Amino acid sequence: MNWDNENKRFVFTSLERSLPVYIESIGYSAWELIFTRPEGYPYFHWLQTVRGEGVFIHSGERIAMTPGKGVLLTPFTPHSYFPASDQWSTVYITFGGAAVDPILDSLDMNMSAVYTDTQLSISDLIGLMLQKVDVDSEFSRLESSKELYHFLIMLKKFGMRNDRPSLSQTFDKVRPVVQWLKRNYSNNIGLSEMAEHAGMSVSYLSELFQQAFGMSPYSFLIQLRIRESKHIMITNPNLPLKEVAARTGFNDVSHFVATFRKKEGVTPAKYRNLYLSSEGETS
């Protein structure tokens, strides 16, 4: 993205603020100024450096805002910031909505934090939104809500929060293990075998899976087995459950039935019957 020396700022109307998630303002400051907000800002606030350097202060922490560095603030968080170079250029977006808190909670992002953009793409997303607002007034309707959600997902995926690896970086580390599990889920695999294949300790592998998927490596394996068992049952409707269990790595049919019911809320037989009944109704 090519950033020029012209400031841009767009403030959205009250109509858009009735949406579940909405942008309150979005902009680019070619020459960022000094701001002091002892009461904070009434909306969620993202500020990111695209050129030069600034200093951002909140909760007693002094943050060097170099290119790619950004700060996400929750509403009413006291803060201040100022340039630390001749020219400090930033992009920003402020947002709210009834669904923002639940979305950020589900993404584990509902907190003030410092992010580093590992792909240098987050600021470009805001740049593209600015271009759309500039040329298309209709962007300020449902489209802006969709773009805001996409922005949050990308920040979760590629942003290193407080210098921890991004979700994308974490997944890259566990990808070989995931691919191996997809090929070998039917075998007798335990946590030690997974860690050995990954070439890392059990504790570190467990930490990576928790960060990437929100579950342990063994829970991920069980999820793979359940998913594959569903596929086998609906493509082979007459195959005995004992055979389904054997093909998907369960020790015996009782273990398969108990695990399936715990994860899905119904027994395998009930699941298959419900699926086949619904197929019959639509055919």
Side-chain angles (χ1 to χ4, degrees):
M1 195 82 187
N2 293 321
W3 303 99
D4 55 28
N5 289 321
E6 179 185 354
N7 290 344
K8 294 184 179 181
R9 176 176 171 82
F10 299 93
V11 179
F12 290 78
T13 68
S14 58
L15 175 63
E16 283 72 44
R17 297 178 195 182
S18 64
L19 296 169
V21 293
Y22 61 81
I23 297 174
E24 187 258 344
S25 69
I26 184 171
Y28 163 65
S29 295
W31 301 83
E32 189 59 87
L33 304 175
I34 300 172
F35 281 90
T36 301
R37 297 190 177 106
E39 304 299 324
Y41 196 78
Y43 295 91
F44 286 92
H45 183 193
W46 169 257
L47 180 75
Q48 181 178 1
T49 297
V50 295
R51 185 167 52 198
E53 184 176 346
V55 173
F56 195 100
I57 301 172
H58 83 98
S59 301
E61 184 179 4
R62 188 183 179 96
I63 303 156
M65 296 288 287
T66 52
K69 190 80 74 176
V71 176
L72 178 65
L73 292 179
T74 55
F76 302 107
T77 299
H79 64 276
S80 62
Y81 52 92
F82 54 87
S85 59
D86 291 340
Q87 182 178 14
W88 179 34
S89 302
T90 68
V91 288
Y92 60 88
I93 183 169
T94 61
F95 57 93
V100 167
D101 278 314
I103 289 172
L104 291 178
D105 284 340
S106 68
L107 296 174
D108 188 30
M109 293 171 58
N110 202 351
M111 63 194 76
S112 297
V114 181
Y115 287 81
T116 302
D117 186 356
T118 61
Q119 300 289 321
L120 297 179
S121 57
I122 305 301
S123 60
D124 285 348
L125 284 179
I126 297 178
L128 291 173
M129 282 190 269
L130 285 168
Q131 291 177 356
K132 290 180 180 179
V133 179
D134 214 6
V135 301
D136 183 5
S137 62
E138 290 302 308
F139 175 79
S140 62
R141 301 185 184 280
L142 289 175
E143 185 75 10
S144 65
S145 182
K146 182 191 77 172
E147 294 285 349
L148 172 59
Y149 181 76
H150 179 60
F151 162 77
L152 294 174
I153 294 298
M154 294 297 284
L155 182 58
K156 172 66 175 181
K157 184 176 181 180
F158 294 112
M160 289 176 56
R161 187 175 74 194
N162 297 333
D163 292 328
R164 294 178 60 187
S166 69
L167 183 62
S168 176
Q169 290 172 319
T170 300
F171 186 72
D172 285 343
K173 292 180 181 179
V174 300
R175 190 191 307 273
V177 185
V178 169
Q179 292 173 340
W180 180 73
L181 288 174
K182 287 180 177 179
R183 295 191 302 268
N184 296 279
Y185 63 85
S186 62
N187 297 332
N188 184 18
I189 298 171
L191 191 52
S192 59
E193 286 80 13
M194 297 183 209
E196 182 179 355
H197 177 80
M200 58 185 68
S201 69
V202 168
S203 60
Y204 185 53
L205 180 66
S206 298
E207 179 184 346
L208 290 177
F209 265 78
Q210 194 64 43
Q211 292 174 7
F213 305 110
M215 65 180 71
S216 69
Y218 190 73
S219 294
F220 184 87
L221 173 60
I222 295 300
Q223 182 174 279
L224 280 178
R225 288 172 170 170
I226 293 294
R227 186 180 70 185
E228 186 60 23
S229 72
K230 290 179 178 180
H231 175 71
I232 292 173
M233 284 190 292
I234 63 179
T235 55
N236 301 272
N238 297 318
L239 190 69
L241 292 182
K242 181 178 180 180
E243 181 63 23
V244 176
R247 291 189 186 185
T248 51
F250 290 96
N251 294 332
D252 52 56
V253 68
S254 60
H255 180 220
F256 169 51
V257 171
T259 304
F260 193 100
R261 180 165 49 194
K262 181 180 179 180
K263 296 292 185 181
E264 300 297 321
V266 295
T267 64
K270 182 69 172 177
Y271 172 84
R272 179 154 59 183
N273 289 337
L274 287 171
Y275 181 87
L276 295 176
S277 297
S278 64
E279 284 291 288
E281 291 174 0
T282 57
S283 60

